[in-house]
């Protein structure tokens, strides 16, 4: 969602193609709200300045003359890539939609008007948002190591124990999950009777990519455990949601869905999970069907939490503040997005334009 006069920032990823270098592509179609093809004269001043992935779509030959719902259509074949045609909806509005007041001690910036000052989300403290009786509570994000049973802790070094995120105890032992960040992580099985731990690899290993094994979230459901795994480091950013269960003396796993950026938080649902990654929020069902709920703006750095209010409003905790996605329109893109940041004397004014910052 953008206001009239702004230009979208759209990058295309094709696996690892193009990572680490800048590309620009004009090979796409822009459809106006009435379904006609948008064609305009070029303006080099509107050329994109950076890209992540295969390329950044170049809008210097397009104008957005009126408010409405546009469609950006990208055909991979026109750029020498494989895959199906992708339609990305883009909503342009003439006036900012009303939003609820920010919580006490916080301020709000509607992101359809402008992005916050980069210092507000590139550095500093990370936050998480939780809901108590539908009231948003924001606090610093903290990730303490999971508590260990005494018998298990005695078999693990303090350093190794510091990366434990979840422990699931069974009659014959413990299933222990770790997050080592860019240095790996994963799942280990500790037999109660003793011996060395056994590594449990989830999903088939991919020969040409780093397999994400860090466990960010996990939940038990009967005899199975569901895990959210991922890694984001340098040009690597990916992850998966998977199911793991024990059959006799070994573990079996099934990858339900994979994501093109690291998944970090979820909300369990009756039919699956609502998952937030570094770039988007997805509804992933147990059968693997995955539906895009909303793309996230570029101010997302190190997201840490996801919460949903009874009216459908979504909150994503991130570095510097919290994103609030308020359902506003009946069709995609549905959400009006604003950025909540703390009202403190040492906090810069995040609404200041980048070129006017001190």
């Amino acid at each position: 969602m953008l206001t009239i006069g702004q230009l979208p920032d759209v990058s295309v990823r094709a696996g690892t193609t193009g990572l680490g270098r800048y590309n620009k592509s004009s090979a796409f179609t822009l459809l106006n709200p009435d379904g006609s093809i948008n064609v305009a004269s070029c303006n080099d001043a509107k050329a994109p300045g950076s890209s992540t992935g295969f390329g950044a779509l170049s809008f210097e030959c397009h104008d957005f003359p009126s408010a409405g719902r546009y469609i950006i259509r990208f055909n991979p074949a026109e750029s020498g890539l494989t895959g199906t045609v992708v339609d990305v909806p883009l909503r342009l509005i003439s006036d900012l939609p009303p939003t609820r007041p920010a919580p006490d001690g916080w301020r709000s910036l509607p992101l359809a008007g402008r992005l916050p000052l980069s210092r507000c989300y590139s550095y500093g403290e990370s936050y998480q948002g939780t809901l108590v009786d539908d009231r948003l509570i924001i606090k610093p994000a903290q990730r303490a190591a999971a508590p260990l049973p005494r018998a298990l802790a005695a078999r693990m070094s303090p350093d190794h124990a510091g990366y434990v995120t979840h422990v699931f105890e069974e009659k014959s032992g413990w299933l222990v999950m770790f997050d080592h960040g860019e240095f790996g992580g994963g799942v280990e099985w500790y037999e109660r009777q003793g011996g060395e731990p056994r590594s449990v690899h989830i999903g088939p290993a991919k020969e040409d990519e780093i397999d994400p094994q860090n466990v960010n979230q996990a939940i038990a459901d009967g005899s199975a455990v569901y895990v959210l795994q991922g890694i984001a480091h340098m040009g690597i950013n990916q992850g998966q949601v998977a199911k793991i269960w024990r059959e006799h003396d070994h573990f079996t796993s099934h990858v339900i869905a994979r994501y093109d950026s690291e998944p970090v938080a979820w909300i369990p649902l009756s039919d699956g999970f609502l998952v937030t990654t570094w770039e988007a929020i997805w509804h992933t069902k147990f059968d693997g069907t995955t539906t895009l709920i909303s793309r996230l703006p570029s101010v997302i750095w190190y997201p840490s939490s996801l919460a949903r209010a009874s009216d459908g409003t979504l909150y994503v905790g991130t570095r510097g503040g919290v994103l609030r996605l308020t359902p506003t329109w009946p069709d995609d893109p549905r959400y009006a997005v604003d950025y909540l940041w703390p009202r403190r004397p040492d906090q810069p004014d995040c609404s200041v334009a980048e070129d006017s910052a001190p």
Side-chain angles (χ1 to χ4, degrees):
M1 181 182 65
L2 301 172
T3 53
I4 293 178
Q6 294 180 311
L7 289 176
D9 181 0
V10 180
S11 291
V12 177
R13 288 189 179 178
T16 58
T17 302
L19 289 176
R21 68 173 186 269
Y22 172 69
N23 300 280
K24 183 174 71 172
S25 175
S26 298
F28 66 96
T29 301
L30 179 65
L31 302 181
N32 293 318
D34 62 4
S36 62
I37 295 178
N38 182 300
V39 179
S41 59
C42 292
N43 180 356
D44 290 340
K46 298 191 296 183
S50 63
S51 67
T52 59
F54 169 76
L57 301 190
S58 172
F59 288 91
E60 63 259 39
C61 292
H62 296 278
D63 288 319
F64 298 85
S66 62
R69 185 175 181 268
Y70 293 77
I71 297 292
I72 302 169
R73 178 167 295 164
F74 181 80
N75 184 354
E78 295 180 2
S79 298
L81 302 172
T82 59
T84 59
V85 176
V86 178
D87 282 356
V88 179
L90 171 68
R91 189 180 303 280
L92 261 70
I93 57 177
S94 55
D95 298 299
L96 293 174
T99 57
R100 285 168 293 178
D104 291 343
W106 293 77
R107 290 181 285 184
S108 169
L109 175 67
L111 295 188
R114 62 169 47 168
L115 293 179
L117 186 70
S118 65
R119 286 189 293 131
C120 292
Y121 60 88
S122 299
Y123 307 97
E125 197 165 23
S126 293
Y127 294 91
Q128 63 183 26
T130 57
L131 294 168
V132 177
D133 296 329
D134 252 10
R135 183 170 63 93
L136 178 65
I137 305 297
I138 304 176
K139 57 184 180 181
Q142 295 180 339
R143 190 169 191 175
L148 301 178
R150 181 176 300 179
L152 176 62
R155 298 166 58 184
M156 197 179 299
S157 72
D159 180 66
H160 198 44
Y163 295 102
V164 174
T165 59
H166 301 81
V167 177
F168 297 94
E169 186 169 4
E170 295 187 15
K171 183 178 180 180
S172 56
W174 299 272
L175 193 63
V176 187
M177 304 187 175
F178 302 86
D179 176 12
H180 282 275
E182 63 265 34
F183 301 105
V187 180
E188 292 178 345
W189 169 251
Y190 287 76
E191 288 282 353
R192 192 178 296 273
Q193 64 186 12
E196 291 296 316
R198 181 172 43 173
S199 177
V200 180
H201 190 93
I202 298 180
K206 294 171 287 184
E207 295 181 358
D208 58 342
E209 296 183 31
I210 292 179
D211 220 19
Q213 293 296 299
N214 280 324
V215 178
N216 293 325
Q217 303 286 341
I219 187 172
D221 183 12
S223 60
V225 175
Y226 292 91
V227 294
L228 195 65
Q229 299 174 286
I231 185 169
H233 177 61
M234 304 294 285
I236 304 166
N237 200 343
Q238 59 190 43
Q240 62 192 23
V241 59
K243 177 181 179 181
I244 179 173
W245 65 97
R246 196 174 188 210
E247 292 184 348
H248 306 296
D249 63 344
H250 69 279
F251 286 91
T252 300
S253 64
H254 166 65
V255 174
I256 297 172
R258 295 189 186 274
Y259 307 99
D260 290 332
S261 60
E262 182 177 11
V264 295
W266 64 14
I267 298 174
L269 305 173
S270 60
D271 62 352
F273 302 93
L274 200 63
V275 176
T276 184
T277 70
W278 276 49
E279 297 178 337
I281 298 175
W282 304 89
H283 177 196
T284 295
K285 296 184 178 181
F286 291 125
D287 65 3
T289 303
T290 298
T291 304
L292 176 66
I293 300 301
S294 178
R295 294 286 178 187
L296 297 179
S298 57
V299 298
I300 277 287
W301 281 58
Y302 302 102
S304 58
S305 65
L306 175 65
R308 182 178 62 173
S310 60
D311 65 355
T313 300
L314 299 170
Y315 299 92
V316 179
T318 183
R319 176 174 284 182
V322 172
L323 285 180
R324 178 169 57 184
L325 295 86
T326 304
T328 304
W329 293 276
D331 53 356
D332 292 330
R334 298 183 60 224
Y335 296 92
V337 185
D338 61 328
Y339 180 74
L340 306 174
W341 83 93
R343 187 188 297 273
R344 295 198 313 254
D346 62 334
Q347 181 73 23
D349 183 356
C350 296
S351 63
V352 175
E354 192 71 38
D355 55 9
S356 63

